[in-house]
Amino acid sequence: MTEEAKKPAAPAGGRAGMKKELPEHFKSYRHVWVAIELERGQVHPVSYELLGCGRRLADKLGVQLAGAVIGPPGEATWHAVAETFAYGADMVYLVEDPVLKDYRNQPYSKALTELVNTYQPEILLLGATTLGRDLAGSVATTLRTGLTADCTELDVDDDKSLAATRPTFGGSLLCTIYTLNYRPQMATVRPRVMAMPERQERPVGRVIQHKLSMVEEDIVTKVLSFIPDGQSSKVNLAYADIVVAGGLGLGAAENFQLVRNLASTLGAEYGCSRPVVQKGWMPSERQIGQTGKTIRPKLYIAAGISGAIQHRVGVEGADLIVAINTNPNAPIFDFAHIGLVTDAVRLLPALTEAFVRRLSPHNRDKLAS
Amino acid sequence: MHIVVCIKQVPDSAQIRVHPVTNTIMRQGVPTIINPFDLFSLEEALRMRDAHGGEVTVLTMGPPMASDSLRKALTFGADRGVLLTDRFFAGSDTLATSFALSAAIEKIGKVYGKADVIFAGKQTIDGDTAQVGPGIAKRLDLLQLTYVAKIAAVDPSAREITVERRAEGGTQVLQTRLPCLVTMLEGSNEIRRGTLNDALRAARAEIVTWNAADAGIEDLTKCGLRGSPTVVKRVFAPTARQERATIIGEAGDNARDLADGLIATLFARKPALEPALVASGCAA
């Protein structure tokens, strides 16, 4: 066979992806859905954050907001249904089945795919968690639709398309992505990127139950056991009220003890920037930023972190950012609220002491008397 | 055992710079590396082969220069490199990428023997989506095990694999059947250095290079831009915030004064923080 003959014929037509007219069979797709992440009886807070964002999109489109709740029969699943309403959903699509006791890709992706094919949402949002990312990739591939990962902003365009904005090139730039000719338009969002909506006591709305056509024998993967994280090894950076983090400016791995000391004084979580993980000074679960955790604390103290854009996208949601850096031109001072141009290694012990003095109840009593 | 590992050649993102005026990516001179997350999968594949015998085939889709990454994988000890390259793949999103890669994996199965385990990286450092692994699994109708921290056991004769998978709030111990697709968690192992023999073999090795037709892809509408449901409409720089940080203290201040100054400013800005901290027993 000649080289020429081996080459498949060039596809006819132009860039199909840019076509604006939605195929007829997708025109019935309506409403905004959030896949509610329910694992071992617990709803992941990211699902509520997505309901807040989904509410905004649904209102703009003039459609309903629904939660897709997938879980085992029982109280926990119905509690998730009630909470889904409390955080803003108009309706819930519910799949209850014993095979859904633990998360497994096969039954969960089948359940969500069946729901989508039956009830046809135009937008489907999932949390970018280990569960959400595992599930979203399978469902989008089965449905042959577009999926935009780790969005930092979701909006609806003038022509009612979902505009999904996400960081690109390691966070240096943002790009807005559309799924023009396919439905649903799928996106994942990481925990803490969207603000938590107000919880409201609402009367339970409409629940549409869907039966899963699957039995345990159909499912190949078995969960042999689940080992919960120990309290000590549990890193809850994303949901911590106060976070203290260190960067390369700390100079050496052992100086992270200073970060840990301040964090423990404040009852805070501690973290780090990406180069610190790359150097092996800290484990990756402590990494904050575009490829690590997104945080939204009330107070964020960044010690010796220069503030590359990758880091910035992970901390922008913090109420108050304090930056400590020797370089007055470090980019972190462009987005921090309070800055100290000094060596963090020198300042951190003094800061820890000063907090102890100020916050110690004993001292406060003395000062008051 | 035949193990296929999907890798990607990516720009070393630590070295990417954005042009300060035009806000475009300056790609020139940026070195390329094997996506770091893929190395954990590659090492696990090599360990599996060392324990159970067989071969490791490394597959990548990309421009012709991506063969460098395959050669690098051979120096670590992989047995064969397959490069999938064709201009029809340009502009592929994750759905189109998973289509092309799954076609190549099927072809690899026909030519070199069916794969028992397929590894992919957890995610790439450029796209960061973590979607291609699950996409390939779905295309090939395979079971998927993502975020695997440890492969606890593989029994090739019973066609079974047991893994520890990272989940929210803990670790799932899962058992499933071969063939399956696995993505390894970062830090799960450390890539080997490779032997001198591996390096010599890699230098001489011929990289198998396939275009779309070679990989058995007939429907080119599923490839590249045409096969990608997502469309990038706009790329832009994040907007800068207006005000810069309020700088506390003077250059000569000692640490204690700076610390006191910071705390005073902090609680002046956020008065609610202080009682909340005291109530939570902080610094007690």
Side-chain angles (χ1 to χ4, degrees):
Chain A
M1 212 193 240
T2 64
E3 271 308 300
E4 198 53 39
K6 256 169 66 183
K7 268 260 193 260
R15 287 160 56 166
M18 300 301 286
K19 212 160 55 188
K20 275 298 230 181
E21 184 62 24
L22 192 65
E24 204 56 41
H25 62 282
F26 285 134
K27 285 187 176 158
S28 52
Y29 280 60
R30 269 170 77 84
H31 306 309
V32 177
W33 283 22
V34 174
I36 305 297
E37 179 168 337
L38 175 66
E39 204 169 12
R40 291 177 311 286
Q42 295 288 319
V43 175
H44 195 293
V46 72
S47 302
Y48 302 142
E49 293 159 17
L50 285 173
L51 285 169
C53 165
R55 183 75 264 166
R56 197 168 41 79
L57 300 177
D59 291 346
K60 220 166 159 180
L61 287 166
V63 299
Q64 293 204 304
L65 173 67
V69 177
I70 298 170
E75 210 176 303
T77 301
W78 280 93
H79 178 71
V81 170
E83 289 304 292
T84 301
F85 288 123
Y87 283 98
D90 302 307
M91 53 202 297
V92 163
Y93 293 93
L94 174 65
V95 185
E96 262 187 302
D97 197 289
V99 302
L100 301 166
K101 182 173 167 284
D102 295 290
Y103 174 74
R104 286 175 294 178
N105 180 270
Q106 204 185 350
Y108 270 73
S109 57
K110 185 168 168 62
L112 189 54
T113 307
E114 278 184 10
L115 280 182
V116 168
N117 281 332
T118 311
Y119 302 102
Q120 309 185 334
E122 57 190 306
I123 292 173
L124 173 58
L125 309 177
L126 295 98
T129 57
T130 58
L131 188 159
R133 283 176 144 195
D134 188 272
L135 180 59
S138 303
V139 171
T141 308
T142 308
L143 297 169
R144 304 285 190 261
T145 190
L147 169 58
T148 306
D150 293 8
C151 300
T152 51
E153 209 185 308
L154 294 171
D155 203 354
V156 173
D157 223 7
D158 296 338
D159 70 352
K160 299 197 161 188
S161 301
L162 176 69
T165 299
R166 72 181 303 256
T168 184
F169 291 105
S172 348
L173 293 173
L174 296 169
C175 63
T176 304
I177 295 175
Y178 290 79
T179 298
L180 294 177
N181 302 349
Y182 301 83
R183 292 291 180 270
Q185 305 161 88
M186 288 178 64
T188 65
V189 177
R190 292 206 275 158
R192 296 301 257 169
V193 168
M194 303 288 175
M196 187 75 154
E198 286 280 330
R199 185 184 182 283
Q200 284 171 348
E201 268 328 320
R202 282 162 52 113
V204 169
R206 203 164 145 230
V207 179
I208 295 173
Q209 289 187 266
H210 181 88
K211 211 172 140 32
L212 182 66
S213 51
M214 201 170 214
V215 291
E216 185 57 40
E217 288 66 41
D218 299 333
I219 304 164
V220 182
T221 304
K222 305 295 172 199
V223 181
L224 300 186
S225 64
F226 185 87
I227 309 154
D229 290 332
Q231 210 53 41
S232 56
S233 65
K234 201 165 171 180
V235 181
N236 196 17
L237 268 179
Y239 288 90
D241 276 341
I242 302 178
V243 175
V244 184
L248 281 187
L250 290 179
E254 50 273 25
N255 287 335
F256 265 88
Q257 192 52 44
L258 306 176
V259 170
R260 280 191 286 263
N261 289 348
L262 177 56
S264 86
T265 298
L266 296 175
E269 277 287 355
Y270 63 93
C272 64
S273 59
R274 185 173 67 174
V276 168
V277 174
Q278 283 172 339
K279 282 219 169 216
W281 293 359
M282 293 277 266
S284 60
E285 73 247 31
R286 295 280 172 187
Q287 188 186 322
I288 297 166
Q290 164 62 9
T291 42
K293 298 263 180 4
T294 300
I295 61 170
R296 237 185 151 83
K298 295 193 173 83
L299 173 62
Y300 176 53
I301 301 175
I305 292 177
S306 65
I309 186 73
Q310 292 88 333
H311 190 75
R312 178 177 166 172
V313 292
V315 305
E316 263 176 336
D319 290 345
L320 191 63
I321 301 172
V322 175
I324 307 161
N325 202 299
T326 47
N327 176 8
N329 298 318
I332 195 150
F333 293 122
D334 292 334
F335 60 93
H337 302 92
I338 301 174
L340 291 109
V341 183
T342 187
D343 184 0
V345 175
R346 209 166 56 94
L347 182 70
L348 283 174
L351 191 56
T352 305
E353 268 176 47
F355 269 118
V356 170
R357 279 199 306 275
R358 175 95 180 213
L359 298 175
S360 152
H362 175 69
N363 274 352
R364 290 178 68 85
D365 292 345
K366 262 202 321 207
L367 288 172
S369 61
Chain B
M1 298 263 290
H2 185 198
I3 306 152
V4 174
V5 186
C6 301
I7 67 168
K8 187 183 182 188
Q9 188 176 58
V10 296
D12 188 349
S13 71
Q15 314 224 15
I16 285 189
R17 296 283 175 274
V18 176
H19 193 281
V21 178
T22 58
N23 276 327
T24 51
I25 296 284
M26 308 198 298
R27 288 178 216 237
Q28 265 181 341
V30 175
T32 54
I33 52 173
I34 297 179
N35 173 45
F37 291 112
D38 300 347
L39 296 178
F40 301 108
S41 285
L42 175 59
E43 173 60 27
E44 210 56 40
L46 296 172
R47 287 181 190 191
M48 210 178 265
R49 177 204 60 191
D50 294 347
H52 302 283
E55 285 189 320
V56 172
T57 299
V58 182
L59 167 68
T60 197
M61 179 173 111
M65 67 178 256
S67 62
D68 295 350
S69 288
L70 293 171
R71 210 170 288 282
K72 181 79 187 166
L74 296 182
T75 68
F76 291 129
D79 299 283
R80 177 186 303 113
V82 176
L83 170 67
L84 185 63
T85 188
D86 200 313
R87 64 193 170 91
F88 293 122
F89 299 138
S92 294
D93 72 356
T94 54
L95 191 77
T97 302
S98 69
F99 170 74
L101 286 174
S102 60
I105 291 166
E106 284 191 318
K107 183 65 188 273
I108 286 171
K110 283 182 194 148
V111 181
Y112 303 108
K114 216 168 154 12
D116 300 290
V117 183
I118 293 156
F119 280 98
K122 187 193 84 170
Q123 65 195 68
T124 59
I125 58 164
D126 57 349
D128 246 332
T129 68
Q131 285 164 200
V132 172
I136 293 170
K138 197 46 84 178
R139 297 266 189 190
L140 295 173
D141 200 20
L142 293 177
L143 300 151
Q144 73 186 43
L145 301 165
T146 57
Y147 301 98
V148 171
K150 188 180 165 192
I151 298 200
V154 182
D155 187 338
S157 52
R159 309 291 292 158
E160 263 177 8
I161 181 168
T162 308
V163 304
E164 292 178 10
R165 172 183 187 269
R166 182 73 218 162
E168 298 298 313
T171 304
Q172 278 184 322
V173 182
L174 295 175
Q175 186 173 67
T176 198
R177 263 206 314 259
L178 301 179
C180 67
L181 179 134
V182 177
T183 74
M184 297 300 297
L185 202 62
E186 66 271 22
S188 48
N189 56 38
E190 200 173 325
I191 190 78
R192 60 192 59 191
R193 294 178 69 93
T195 63
L196 181 62
N197 267 344
D198 288 326
L200 291 171
R201 192 176 45 85
R204 289 192 301 262
E206 192 187 332
I207 301 294
V208 179
T209 303
W210 289 343
N211 63 19
D214 297 330
I217 296 172
E218 285 166 9
D219 188 354
L220 290 174
T221 63
K222 290 182 178 164
C223 298
L225 270 180
R226 287 169 54 94
S228 300
T230 61
V231 178
V232 177
K233 286 283 282 282
R234 200 160 76 93
V235 178
F236 57 101
T239 46
R241 208 174 49 205
Q242 290 306 307
E243 84 271 41
R244 276 172 58 91
T246 308
I247 301 293
I248 296 176
E250 305 279 327
D253 285 353
N254 66 41
R256 190 180 166 141
D257 291 342
L258 281 172
D260 286 336
L262 171 58
I263 288 172
T265 313
L266 208 63
F267 291 144
R269 283 244 194 152
K270 291 250 165 215
L273 262 180
E274 188 172 9
L277 281 170
V278 172
S280 69
C282 286

